[in-house]
Amino acid sequence: MYYSNVEDPVNDIFMTEKFQQCLAFMKKEYTQPMNDVTELQLNNQITAHFQAYDTVAYKDIQFESHRKYYDIQFVLQGQEIIALSKPTELKVSTEYDEKNDIIFYDDADKINSQLILKTGDFAILGVADVHKPKLVITSPEAVRKIVIKVPIL
């Protein structure tokens, strides 16, 4: 997992070319956001999914993980908690869906760590990073976020 803010200059040092492309896109969206877009192909492999929702309680969402894609979770507006857990400590509730590249897990209370994403923050989550996004901090609030899918290989 990698966690930072889109305005942090250190990001340029650590990222490979495909993540540099995503970072450039995030910087542009942060300063000049597109409206009424739900999905955008950045190239033939990388897709950005635009989301808007209200944060929810821990019990209202499942842990998830992916096999083929990194998730870049980038908050454009608002704030949320992303809970993290170890895959070995959870029970699979929905087997791997290859088309959507997702596995869902039960055991909502098996949280190993939490990450607070605020406006401009992003996290890059890999295949071992079982996560539960969209979580409320103190009271439900509106969040606008982009989830960018980057192939592992």
Side-chain angles (χ1 to χ4, degrees):
M1 185 190 74
Y2 180 81
Y3 165 70
S4 189
N5 185 282
V6 73
E7 295 180 323
D8 189 339
V10 175
N11 294 326
D12 295 333
I13 297 169
F14 296 109
M15 294 189 180
T16 63
E17 184 178 330
K18 63 183 171 184
F19 288 106
Q20 288 284 351
Q21 181 182 1
C22 295
L23 180 62
F25 170 74
M26 290 187 297
K27 285 179 179 179
K28 183 177 179 189
E29 280 302 302
Y30 189 60
T31 58
Q32 303 168 358
M34 287 187 259
N35 294 318
D36 301 324
V37 176
T38 57
E39 187 175 294
L40 181 69
Q41 289 291 134
L42 301 187
N43 63 30
N44 63 348
Q45 296 182 330
I46 300 171
T47 306
H49 302 272
F50 294 74
Q51 302 177 351
Y53 53 82
D54 289 336
T55 54
V56 298
Y58 284 80
K59 64 178 178 52
D60 294 335
I61 197 162
Q62 292 181 290
F63 278 103
E64 64 183 64
S65 68
H66 313 282
R67 290 185 181 168
K68 294 189 224 174
Y69 293 91
Y70 291 99
D71 254 9
I72 302 177
Q73 306 248 343
F74 173 47
V75 174
L76 285 170
Q77 180 182 13
Q79 59 183 359
E80 69 177 35
I81 292 174
I82 295 181
L84 302 167
S85 191
K86 299 173 187 169
T88 55
E89 295 182 4
L90 301 171
K91 295 177 196 160
V92 172
S93 64
T94 304
E95 293 296 326
Y96 180 65
D97 176 345
E98 187 170 355
K99 180 183 175 202
N100 295 307
D101 185 42
I102 197 162
I103 303 169
F104 288 107
Y105 303 85
D106 284 333
D107 302 321
D109 60 341
K110 300 262 177 143
I111 296 168
N112 294 106
S113 186
Q114 296 183 66
L115 181 63
I116 296 176
L117 292 182
K118 297 180 179 181
T119 300
D121 290 346
F122 68 93
I124 301 174
L125 304 167
V127 295
D129 298 319
V130 179
H131 55 284
K132 182 188 285 210
K134 304 180 181 180
L135 299 175
V136 65
I137 294 177
T138 53
S139 60
E141 73 174 271
V143 171
R144 287 184 51 242
K145 181 165 77 174
I146 302 172
V147 177
I148 303 171
K149 299 292 193 172
V150 181
I152 299 292
L153 300 176

